[in-house]
Amino acid sequence: MAVWNLGSIAAHVQGIIEDIPNYISGAKLLDIAYQQVLFAEQYTGQSIGSVAIAEKYQPAICDLTSAQVLSLMEIRGADVSSIQLGELSISKGASSSTMAASDKLKEEGLRKLRELGRKVSY
């Protein structure tokens, strides 16, 4: 990975989530990515920015952005019988596959942020 910006994050998310609706793609997807950058900054206590996102933050921000996109798709009723995100594949059972994938990605994104640690001030 190289240094990415919000457009790179959005392009990555569009590459792993199929059929992102028009109401989420474009400027809205960039806004979702930016909100996740802000969350990561608040969580880690580090300045990440939106233009030169360092490699160590990219996996967590991509997962969190993907989770938010899937959550919005679920809210608007874009549920499908199965969903595949890279190696993760979930088939619909008792609950929504879109929400199950969203929850898994959010957990994974938060785990990656925890691994980066937090800035502690005394």
Side-chain angles (χ1 to χ4, degrees):
M1 288 186 180
V3 175
W4 283 6
N5 59 28
L6 291 178
S8 304
I9 299 290
H12 177 78
V13 170
Q14 286 180 315
I16 63 171
I17 300 176
E18 295 181 10
D19 302 324
I20 295 178
N22 289 337
Y23 64 86
I24 295 176
S25 63
K28 180 66 175 173
L29 184 53
L30 292 174
D31 182 53
I32 293 167
Y34 182 65
Q35 295 302 317
Q36 300 316 306
V37 167
L38 294 177
F39 175 77
E41 285 181 337
Q42 186 178 29
Y43 186 92
T44 62
Q46 302 295 320
S47 178
I48 298 171
S50 61
V51 177
I53 301 170
E55 290 181 9
K56 67 181 183 177
Y57 300 112
Q58 294 169 17
I61 293 170
C62 286
D63 286 349
L64 293 170
T65 302
S66 297
Q68 187 64 31
V69 166
L70 289 170
S71 180
L72 289 172
M73 288 172 64
E74 173 73 14
I75 289 169
R76 294 285 293 257
D79 192 22
V80 293
S81 61
S82 66
I83 191 162
Q84 183 171 353
L85 300 167
E87 295 180 15
L88 174 66
S89 178
I90 299 174
S91 296
K92 189 169 187 170
S95 64
S96 165
S97 61
T98 307
M99 283 311 294
S102 175
D103 291 344
K104 290 280 187 194
L105 284 165
K106 186 172 183 177
E107 287 174 25
E108 186 65 15
L110 291 172
R111 181 191 64 78
K112 289 173 183 174
L113 284 178
R114 281 192 298 274
E115 287 178 1
L116 291 173
R118 290 183 164 182
K119 184 178 178 183
V120 179
S121 300
Y122 293 100

